Amino acid sequence: MTPAHRTSGLSRRHFALGLPSALLTSGCAAPHQGTGRPGDPIVLTLLSHYASGVLKEALQAPVDEWNDSHDRVKVRTKAVEFTDLLTTFMVRQAAGQGADILHPYCLWNGQLVQAGVLRPAPREHAEEITRGYSEAAVDAASVGGKVYGYPTEVQTYALYYNKRLLREAGIDGPPRTWRELEETAYRTARRDRYGNTLVQGFGLSTADDSTTVGQTLALLNAAGGRFVSEDGRSTTIDSPAGRAVFELEHRLVDRGASAPGVNVYKAFRSGQVAMVVSGGWWTGSLKALMGKDYRDVGVAPLPLPEADGKRATLSTGFMLGVNAASKHPRAAWEFLRWLNAEKVIVKRAMKGGTATRMSSLQVSAGSLTGRADDMRTLLGSHSDANLGPFLDALAYSVPEPNVPGAQQAKSLLRKNIEALWTGQQSVDQALRTTRRQVDREVARSW
Amino acid sequence: MVNVDALTPATTERAAPGTRSAGTAVDGRARARRRQAVVAYLFLAPSLLFFAVFLILPLGFALLLSMSRWAGFDLGGIQPVGLDNFTGLFADGSTFLAPILTNTLLFALGTVVLALAGSVVVTTCIDNLRFQGLWRTLYFLPIVTTVVAVGNVWKYMYEPGGLVNGVLNALGFASVAFLQDPATALPSVVVVHAWASVGSAILVLTAGLKSIPESYYEAAALDGAGPVTVFWKITLPLLRPSLLLVCVTQLISGLQSFALIIVMTKGGPGDATNVAALEMYRQAFSYGHWGPASAAAFVLFVVVLVITLVQLWIFRRKGEDA
């Protein structure tokens, strides 16, 4: 190397030494939290799964509004895909880098509370939450009787059906009982001569936990059953209601009306599924993806085993809570109250109509919130009629159990449902195995 | 190469005690050796430190966790439970031994057999073709492609209306639910993992093939040996060191693999494709059960160690070193 080279700026050696050092330094550096002193505002981090598309933009809008109108406390959003959310919570918390505000799926609340990640809501916030939200939403955001956060989106489950496919099969309307559901499924299902499914009568899918388990639990609730016992320490799936659901699904697969190998999310929007049970969030997605074919989509309350039975379905949800390790919990709760409890005038609602920023955010993204009053204000009379059954279901839905070990119990249930669908287990075996495995694993989590 | 045995007596003779100068020389050499040792350790220190921080400490921590109950965040929350986590893995009703560990072994063995057979055939064929670099590059491409991409592409190909079933239908066969049927799910993933592993195996085997002296083949040709005889009697035996390396590395990678499975089947349907590494990942990062996850990791470690030692022993008995 010539002297001229050595003196001209950054040499290769310096660069080679400097780069790893810089990376190491930046990697080890904790995010700037701020002190709250004048000129150095508190910076709260909010970790969510609103990582892309409509949801990301919808969340950023009120956050920007807060940052523009508040000098002392600023909020910075961080997002990961939903499939990585729990893992990210766990890893960041273990590394001492947990966000101030967390946006967990309510199913994980028991696990996160037990691990000391979530901070109970202060009394005034807990009272506001209990007063302002539906019972299912409050239950989902609570563990052991304590409220841990503001419910955000709340999803209830209902029956999606394709009007065109039902009409072509000579069926007037959606089924109201399980007998009608089966008949409709068998009449609409079609396969080609190679065994490929052309139309599933009733969509059963192994696409993910939420689809596989969600539809089974919704049917279980509709049959008057529960997945987890009152005390949360064991499962009650091995019951007459559980048996009825497993037998129904087994028959549908066995007689060719359902093809669990097909991705139901894609197949339904392609007109290859006549009926499927899913959450309310799907309407927004279907509307965007199906274009004019969306007019064939109808939503009805979940069919019941008997026509005169008591309505029930599953509800799932998310909430916004504060990390137990946050250095600025008061500021974090204040931001959450501003976002979730403070009502502001909504432009597109009736004159003078008010709703929380979070409710507006959810509805703009085609979702529901646990605040029924906000929903009615925001939806108005010109809203999508398909949202109606989901909104009605808020009154009678059963929240997904969120006891410690709930995620594992859900995974175990999914495995056994899949084993039932694929003929690895009989109904009896699937019920027994689920009970034995879930009881054992859930007990270990307490 | 220096013959150490030949040098030793002379060294001993020079170091014989009895004279002052001889003693000083011995002391000097000892000091020099100590200095060399210190310098050697100094050079080794960074890598030893690296191993201590990133291997020994985590290993010790994992051993501690394997005998504890811990939710993952607060070190003060570690509760000793003795061997409960290990006994839990093999308790009645646990799925760890069957099907999880069984799947792990089948997955690894299936991958090794397919990848080894495939790479031997492909390497031998390529060796007889023009543009060898091009063919090797083509077969190596899956290695530089991310597992997620490989898994997703194959997943779509395996789907009921996918490419593979399309070909089967065109040939007049009924569709196969490759990833949805518990009987075909694991073999279907094994095929993909083996396909993705063939590239690296080909590189190793090519190096082995090139090191076989050409004179052996010339002698065989003079003796009138056919291509099959040459392959079985010359190529395959002389490839044994390379085959051992491929076999050991593929088996270890197969036993530890889970990324492809999580992309293609998530361990399903049921537990049909669940493997030990995937179960460990879920226990620790999804359920917060660090104790059972660490216990499972140690069991897998022992399995990998035993299988590797057995492989080395078998190949050594056949006269080859690793």
Side-chain angles (χ1 to χ4, degrees):
Chain A
M1 186 184 286
T2 63
H5 282 124
R6 250 185 269 139
T7 51
S8 62
L10 200 63
S11 73
R12 277 187 194 172
R13 211 175 96 205
H14 286 125
F15 183 73
L17 288 170
L19 183 64
S21 310
L23 289 173
L24 194 66
T25 310
S26 61
C28 294
H32 177 65
Q33 298 277 313
T35 60
R37 285 193 290 270
D40 189 9
I42 292 168
V43 180
L44 299 174
T45 48
L46 189 164
L47 179 59
S48 167
H49 64 291
Y50 290 176
S52 58
V54 180
L55 283 170
K56 184 180 181 182
E57 289 165 19
L59 176 63
Q60 198 55 48
V63 168
D64 288 344
E65 186 192 340
W66 167 275
N67 287 337
D68 289 345
S69 57
H70 292 77
D71 292 330
R72 204 180 74 81
V73 179
K74 303 286 182 189
V75 177
R76 189 166 53 197
T77 56
K78 289 175 181 287
V80 293
E81 294 295 334
F82 173 66
T83 45
D84 300 323
L85 189 60
L86 180 58
T87 313
T88 308
F89 284 154
M90 305 281 279
V91 173
R92 288 180 68 97
Q93 197 75 12
Q97 303 244 326
D100 296 284
I101 300 169
L102 303 171
H103 193 184
Y105 184 28
C106 289
L107 177 77
W108 308 327
N109 283 350
Q111 181 180 329
L112 294 174
V113 166
Q114 193 185 47
V117 178
L118 290 172
R119 185 185 291 268
R123 192 174 52 80
E124 64 275 22
H125 293 272
E127 284 172 359
E128 165 64 35
I129 293 162
T130 311
R131 197 172 48 239
Y133 289 84
S134 66
E135 196 182 333
V138 176
D139 283 355
S142 306
V143 177
K146 275 188 191 168
V147 178
Y148 281 86
Y150 282 91
T152 56
E153 66 181 273
V154 174
Q155 303 294 346
T156 55
Y157 278 63
L159 183 80
Y160 285 83
Y161 62 98
N162 186 309
K163 295 174 190 169
R164 180 180 56 80
L165 291 173
L166 263 60
R167 210 169 38 239
E168 285 171 5
I171 298 160
D172 295 333
R176 285 161 301 173
T177 63
W178 285 10
R179 184 186 292 273
E180 289 177 7
L181 179 111
E182 274 194 80
E183 282 171 12
T184 308
Y186 300 140
R187 282 171 63 176
T188 48
R190 281 190 292 126
R191 284 176 187 252
D192 69 10
R193 64 192 172 108
Y194 298 113
N196 296 314
T197 302
L198 299 176
V199 175
Q200 278 194 80
F202 184 78
L204 288 175
S205 180
T206 57
D208 54 34
D209 272 0
S210 297
T211 325
T212 310
V213 178
Q215 53 194 188
T216 301
L217 290 188
L219 290 167
L220 178 73
N221 295 152
R226 295 286 184 278
F227 180 41
V228 173
S229 62
E230 285 287 325
D231 65 1
R233 289 175 181 264
S234 60
T235 177
T236 50
I237 187 80
D238 193 1
S239 62
R243 178 174 298 276
V245 176
F246 275 27
E247 283 174 347
L248 171 71
E249 293 184 352
H250 187 253
R251 277 197 304 276
L252 288 165
V253 176
D254 207 35
R255 296 182 189 175
S258 300
V262 177
N263 184 328
V264 82
Y265 290 129
K266 290 181 191 167
F268 185 82
R269 65 178 190 241
S270 309
Q272 294 173 314
V273 177
M275 297 175 292
V276 63
V277 173
S278 191
W281 62 270
W282 207 20
T283 52
S285 166
L286 286 175
K287 194 184 284 185
L289 293 167
M290 289 180 73
K292 62 179 173 47
D293 289 341
Y294 183 72
R295 65 185 170 204
D296 289 333
V297 177
V299 177
L302 213 62
L304 301 172
E306 303 297 335
D308 55 352
K310 188 183 166 195
R311 287 221 172 279
T313 188
L314 176 73
S315 73
T316 62
F318 288 80
M319 64 161 217
L320 276 167
V322 176
N323 195 328
S326 171
K327 289 176 184 163
H328 310 290
R330 284 172 65 90
W333 283 113
E334 181 51 30
F335 168 73
L336 291 183
R337 194 198 60 75
W338 176 88
L339 182 67
N340 295 279
E342 195 175 296
K343 300 250 183 175
V344 292
I345 292 176
V346 183
K347 285 177 191 167
R348 58 183 184 165
M350 287 182 299
K351 194 177 178 184
T354 60
T356 66
R357 292 176 175 85
M358 179 52 74
S359 295
S360 301
L361 180 168
Q362 294 297 341
V363 173
S364 74
S367 189
L368 300 181
T369 80
R371 284 186 180 268
D373 55 338
D374 281 358
M375 289 303 302
R376 296 194 194 284
T377 304
L378 290 161
L379 291 178
S381 56
H382 299 295
S383 66
D384 184 352
N386 282 338
L387 285 174
F390 297 109
L391 186 56
D392 295 339
L394 284 175
Y396 57 76
S397 59
V398 179
E400 194 172 27
N402 64 0
V403 293
Q407 176 60 52
Q408 192 172 13
K410 188 173 185 175
S411 296
L412 290 168
L413 176 58
R414 177 196 166 161
K415 286 180 187 178
N416 286 294
I417 291 171
E418 288 181 357
L420 171 74
W421 290 352
T422 52
Q424 286 174 290
Q425 290 185 355
S426 66
V427 169
D428 279 339
Q429 285 171 322
L431 287 168
R432 266 202 315 271
T433 312
T434 308
R435 174 166 50 80
R436 195 176 58 195
Q437 290 181 347
V438 172
D439 284 356
R440 180 170 171 266
E441 297 303 330
V442 170
R444 189 163 65 177
S445 299
W446 283 81
Chain B
M1 187 182 284
V2 177
N3 186 340
V4 178
D5 292 335
L7 287 175
T8 308
T11 310
T12 311
E13 196 178 316
R14 280 200 301 273
T19 61
R20 186 181 172 83
S21 58
T24 311
V26 168
D27 288 349
R29 276 195 298 279
R31 271 198 301 275
R33 223 176 277 131
R34 273 201 298 276
R35 264 202 308 277
Q36 277 183 336
V38 168
V39 172
Y41 280 118
L42 278 175
F43 274 108
L44 282 173
S47 53
L48 287 175
L49 189 68
F50 182 86
F51 278 115
V53 172
F54 294 105
L55 190 74
I56 308 296
L57 278 180
L59 200 69
F61 190 52
L63 186 63
L64 170 73
L65 289 184
S66 70
M67 290 182 278
S68 313
R69 179 190 154 107
W70 192 48
F73 306 123
D74 179 10
L75 288 174
I78 297 178
Q79 300 166 17
V81 294
L83 295 174
D84 282 4
N85 292 325
F86 288 97
T87 53
L89 291 176
F90 302 102
D92 182 37
S94 165
T95 52
F96 184 74
L97 195 59
I100 294 172
L101 208 52
T102 318
N103 284 344
T104 312
L105 291 170
L106 289 174
F107 181 84
L109 286 173
T111 304
V112 167
V113 170
L114 285 183
L116 211 58
S119 55
V120 168
V121 171
V122 173
T123 307
T124 315
C125 290
I126 288 177
D127 206 42
N128 295 309
L129 291 176
R130 291 177 68 195
F131 311 117
Q132 292 184 14
L134 170 71
W135 300 117
R136 266 182 224 115
T137 307
L138 284 179
Y139 278 97
F140 194 73
L141 276 180
I143 303 291
V144 294
T145 312
T146 63
V147 177
V148 177
V150 167
N152 274 315
V153 168
W154 275 89
K155 192 175 157 184
Y156 289 126
M157 283 169 45
Y158 275 143
E159 272 188 357
L163 181 68
V164 181
N165 272 317
V167 172
L168 286 176
N169 292 167
L171 295 171
F173 295 104
S175 292
V176 178
F178 288 101
L179 299 178
Q180 292 78 36
D181 185 341
T184 52
L186 191 65
S188 302
V189 184
V190 165
V191 166
V192 180
H193 195 250
W195 172 81
S197 315
V198 159
S200 59
I202 285 174
L203 278 193
V204 176
L205 293 184
T206 301
L209 208 59
K210 298 289 178 198
S211 68
I212 299 174
E214 197 58 34
S215 55
Y216 290 7
Y217 291 108
E218 288 167 3
L222 285 174
D223 289 344
V228 176
T229 309
V230 167
F231 177 77
W232 284 108
K233 300 288 184 187
I234 296 175
T235 308
L236 213 52
L238 292 175
L239 266 183
R240 201 180 287 145
S242 309
L243 288 173
L244 171 65
L245 181 66
V246 171
C247 203
V248 170
T249 52
Q250 293 282 356
L251 199 72
I252 292 173
S253 126
L255 289 169
Q256 295 175 336
S257 174
F258 83 103
L260 191 66
I261 290 173
I262 208 169
V263 171
M264 292 186 72
T265 62
K266 297 187 182 75
D271 261 330
T273 56
N274 199 5
V275 289
L278 177 58
E279 186 64 15
M280 271 179 244
Y281 170 80
R282 281 190 179 142
Q283 289 285 348
F285 294 108
S286 294
Y287 312 145
H289 292 160
W290 288 81
S294 303
F298 270 94
V299 172
L300 185 64
F301 168 73
V302 171
V303 170
V304 172
L305 184 69
V306 169
I307 290 177
T308 308
L309 290 176
V310 168
Q311 278 180 302
L312 293 175
W313 179 71
I314 289 171
F315 275 86
R316 279 208 176 116
R317 283 196 64 185
K318 289 180 181 293
E320 297 293 346
D321 265 335

